[in-house]
């Protein structure tokens, strides 16, 4: 695995998910920048209390100065993300669609997963999907050292092999067995209301659920006789 101290994580979103990811990343040894919309001074206190060791910066700096940019804002705000600033960047989408929070999003009908919808807005970003199928509080509670018998597994999907490898490594450092779920479209296997989203699995169990989802999706596409 890589050396976390040589990697900067930039988190867009200073809410419960963003600060939860920040705490685990800091614990693992990463340099962490965290941003919300507007002046970073407005979140200085929140960051110092909720993610001690993280540095409050502007969204522009979080995107420009980071090796991996983590999207942890409400999903409907994806439209406010700057495609130019994220072009060529490794980006991790942790967002989920919740109707009560996000409202109607007709774009979802055109995408196999919400991350594909995000990628359509950020076409030049090197996007991966993960950390959306674990509660922010579970990031700390369920983290275990490598090799632990009760280590939880989390899935990673991306169309970009380098980004997928980077995020798989990141997930491992956070304290989880990282499972390669394949292309970004496969992220639909661990979105809300799926067994993976609602459950907790070890590596073998998660791989089994991913295969079951892929088989079911293939069956839907196959003509009936």
């Amino acid at each position: 695995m890589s050396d976390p101290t040589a990697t900067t994580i930039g988190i867009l979103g200073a809410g419960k998910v963003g600060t939860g990811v920040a705490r685990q990343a800091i614990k693992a040894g990463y340099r962490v920048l965290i941003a919300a919309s507007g002046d970073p001074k407005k979140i200085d206190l929140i960051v110092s209390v909720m993610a001690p060791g993280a540095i409050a910066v502007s969204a522009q700096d979080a995107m420009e100065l980071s090796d991996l940019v983590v999207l942890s804002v409400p999903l409907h705000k994806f439209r406010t993300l700057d495609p130019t600033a994220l072009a060529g960047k490794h980006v991790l989408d942790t967002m989920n669609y919740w109707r009560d929070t996000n409202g109607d999003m007709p774009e979802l009908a055109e995408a196999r997963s919400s991350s594909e919808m995000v990628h359509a807005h950020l076409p030049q970003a090197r996007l991966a999907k993960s950390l959306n199928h674990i509660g922010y509080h579970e990031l700390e509670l369920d983290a275990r050292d490598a090799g632990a018998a009760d280590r939880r597994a989390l899935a990673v999907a991306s169309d970009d092999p380098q980004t997928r490898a980077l995020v798989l490594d990141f997930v491992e450092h956070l304290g989880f067995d990282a499972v390669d779920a394949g292309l970004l479209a496969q992220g639909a296997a661990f979105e809300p209301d799926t067994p993976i989203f609602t459950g907790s699995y070890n590596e073998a169990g998660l791989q089994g659920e991913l295969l079951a989802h892929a088989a079911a999706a293939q069956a839907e596409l196959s003509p009936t006789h």
Side-chain angles (χ1 to χ4, degrees):
M1 290 198 301
S2 66
D3 177 8
T5 61
T7 303
T8 298
I9 307 297
I11 300 174
L12 300 183
K16 292 175 179 177
V17 175
T19 54
V21 173
R23 286 192 296 274
Q24 278 305 102
I26 290 165
K27 194 181 297 183
Y30 291 97
R31 177 173 180 255
V32 177
L33 310 177
I34 190 164
S37 57
D39 190 338
K41 291 178 181 177
K42 293 181 179 179
I43 63 167
D44 263 337
L45 180 59
I46 293 171
V47 171
S48 65
V49 172
M50 298 299 292
I55 304 165
V57 298
S58 67
Q60 190 64 36
D61 281 349
M63 292 184 285
E64 184 177 330
L65 302 175
S66 301
D67 300 296
L68 176 63
V69 180
V70 180
L71 306 180
S72 293
V73 297
L75 181 60
H76 64 275
K77 292 190 176 182
F78 85 92
R79 304 181 186 97
T80 68
L81 298 169
D82 183 356
T84 302
L86 290 171
K89 301 292 291 188
H90 297 293
V91 178
L92 171 56
D93 174 15
T94 72
M95 303 179 290
N96 286 306
Y97 174 64
W98 303 108
R99 183 177 296 277
D100 289 350
T101 302
N102 305 125
D104 289 327
M105 299 184 72
E107 302 100 322
L108 278 173
E110 305 298 319
R112 287 168 291 183
S113 77
S114 61
S115 290
E116 287 194 313
M117 174 185 71
V118 174
H119 201 206
H121 176 68
L122 307 169
Q124 292 181 286
R126 305 171 71 177
L127 192 73
K129 182 185 190 73
S130 191
L131 301 187
N132 69 303
H133 51 298
I134 182 169
Y136 67 90
H137 55 291
E138 294 172 330
L139 281 169
E140 293 167 280
L141 292 174
D142 290 0
R144 299 287 188 274
D145 291 335
D150 61 342
R151 201 175 200 225
R152 183 171 174 176
L154 297 175
V156 177
S158 179
D159 293 343
D160 187 295
Q162 285 186 306
T163 302
R164 192 186 308 137
L166 177 64
V167 175
L168 286 166
D169 190 66
F170 181 54
V171 170
E172 289 279 349
H173 279 297
L174 294 185
F176 302 89
D177 285 334
V179 175
D180 186 344
L183 298 177
L184 196 61
Q186 307 305 320
F190 44 96
E191 290 185 345
D193 299 324
T194 63
I196 293 174
F197 186 90
T198 56
S200 176
Y201 298 88
N202 62 14
E203 187 172 356
L206 181 55
Q207 288 173 334
E209 289 295 338
L210 288 168
L211 287 171
H213 183 275
Q218 183 61 40
E220 284 186 17
L221 294 173
S222 300
T224 55
H225 297 287

